[in-house]
Amino acid sequence: MANPGIPPLVTVFGGSGFVGRYVCEALLKAGARIRVAERDPRKAWFLQPLGGVGMVQTIAADVTKPATVALAVEGADAVVNLVGVFKGDLEAIHVGGPRTIAEAAKANGAAFVHVSAIGADAASESGYGKTKGMGEEAVRAAYSKATIIRPSVVFGPEDQFTNRFAGLARFPVLPVVAPNSRFQPIFAADLGKAIAAAALDPKTHGGKTYELGGPDVMTMRALVGAIADLSGQSPQIVDLPDFAGSAMASLGFLPGAPLTRDQWIMLQKDNVVAKGGTDLKAFGIAPTALGSVAGEWLGRFRTGGRFAPRATA
């Protein structure tokens, strides 16, 4: 890590994204400097106020262009990769990109944390799951001391999960696909702290793979119901049979929200931490439950907005 008295420098690929902002905040609170690597650095300018003068840098980098990756990693004490996509060239982003970053981190003697996902499997029928699994294999082959973190579905104020379902709950009927699939939603701030801890303490976390989830395991139906309650809405929740969900996925559309065939395949397996697996306690973090915080941002969906009185039992 950095020389004594000099704050460590951490390069964060994808630091301006949903999870990235929490990783950057946690790193800065821990006293590190950050260098946010983005194809368009302007997207990361909003992070500047999180740190003091000189604590937040931005740099142009594309994970598919090795020369830009090498420049972004140069001089860093640790590197974090958060880049992921659901469409486009998945192999280039999920396999080639992580391999390039891992090689650059190793060449610079920097710690490396690669963020993947529960369900990553090179043998998966899902393109997303398959390329995520291949990406993990590429990282391990390039840099055995890398840390791999596989979170379940992530929730937070800026997410496209709780906010999307809260928006759909405004309709009288809310259909739910794969209602029995199980998830272990993790709070973005908790995940950000874990990723930052792994980057700053490679002696403890290097070479390990962590599957991370929150304190509650919930079916899709229970999760959607909880989101509706937290947003002060009470639609009729209807379980869609598998044949209907499969048909909608084949068309690439679910009324009000996109559902691709690839996502449908991923929904056929539970998205929870493996039995006997690791959890946030490995990082000294007490997991945050969805119900204890989500009402803060989902309140805006209530009649009268977030300042409207909440119903009491």
Side-chain angles (χ1 to χ4, degrees), residues 119-138:
D121 183 351
S124 174
E125 294 180 16
S126 158
Y128 179 85
K130 179 179 181 178
T131 53
K132 277 291 189 178
M134 292 170 62
E136 290 185 7
E137 292 179 352

Side-chain angles (χ1 to χ4, degrees), residues 21-142:
R21 67 187 63 197
Y22 291 96
V23 174
C24 291
E25 181 178 11
L27 287 167
L28 288 166
K29 285 184 176 180
R33 295 171 293 151
I34 60 172
R35 177 189 290 158
V36 186
E38 297 281 349
R39 284 186 298 177
D40 182 356
R42 291 173 296 182
K43 292 181 178 180
W45 286 355
F46 75 93
L47 295 169
Q48 293 282 354
L50 295 179
V53 177
M55 297 297 285
V56 181
Q57 308 171 18
T58 60
I59 189 171
D62 185 329
V63 299
T64 66
K65 299 178 179 179
T68 68
V69 170
L71 187 61
V73 171
E74 184 177 357
D77 298 287
V79 180
V80 175
N81 177 40
L82 296 162
V83 180
V85 294
F86 288 103
K87 58 183 179 180
D89 193 342
L90 299 185
E91 189 163 344
I93 301 299
H94 293 165
V95 186
R99 178 189 295 114
T100 298
I101 299 172
E103 291 173 345
K106 183 179 181 180
N108 279 270
F112 179 44
V113 179
H114 173 62
V115 180
S116 184
I118 288 179
D121 183 351
S124 174
E125 294 180 16
S126 158
Y128 179 85
K130 179 179 181 178
T131 53
K132 277 291 189 178
M134 292 170 62
E136 290 185 7
E137 292 179 352
V139 166
R140 280 277 175 254

Side-chain angles (χ1 to χ4, degrees), residues 104-242:
K106 183 179 181 180
N108 279 270
F112 179 44
V113 179
H114 173 62
V115 180
S116 184
I118 288 179
D121 183 351
S124 174
E125 294 180 16
S126 158
Y128 179 85
K130 179 179 181 178
T131 53
K132 277 291 189 178
M134 292 170 62
E136 290 185 7
E137 292 179 352
V139 166
R140 280 277 175 254
Y143 195 3
S144 62
K145 293 183 179 180
T147 303
I148 295 176
I149 293 181
R150 314 170 94 202
S152 183
V153 62
V154 185
F155 67 90
E158 308 86 2
D159 70 34
Q160 294 299 313
F161 186 75
T162 63
N163 286 293
R164 172 175 292 169
F165 279 110
L168 292 172
R170 287 171 165 167
F171 295 97
V173 178
L174 178 55
V176 179
V177 296
N180 297 315
S181 294
R182 300 189 306 154
F183 298 82
Q184 196 169 345
I186 182 171
F187 188 34
D190 292 344
L191 178 59
K193 292 175 183 176
I195 294 169
L200 297 174
D201 187 6
K203 290 184 178 180
T204 299
H205 305 292
K208 297 179 180 179
T209 296
Y210 295 99
E211 289 195 346
L212 300 180
D216 303 314
V217 174
M218 311 171 73
T219 64
M220 177 66 89
R221 180 184 175 84
L223 189 50
V224 170
I227 292 169
D229 288 342
L230 289 164
S231 62
Q233 303 176 97
S234 54
Q236 180 181 356
I237 298 176
V238 178
D239 295 348
L240 284 182
D242 284 350

Side-chain angles (χ1 to χ4, degrees), residues 255-267:
L259 179 70
T260 66
R261 187 67 185 172
D262 205 56
Q263 290 170 325
W264 171 253
I265 293 172
M266 293 288 286
L267 284 172

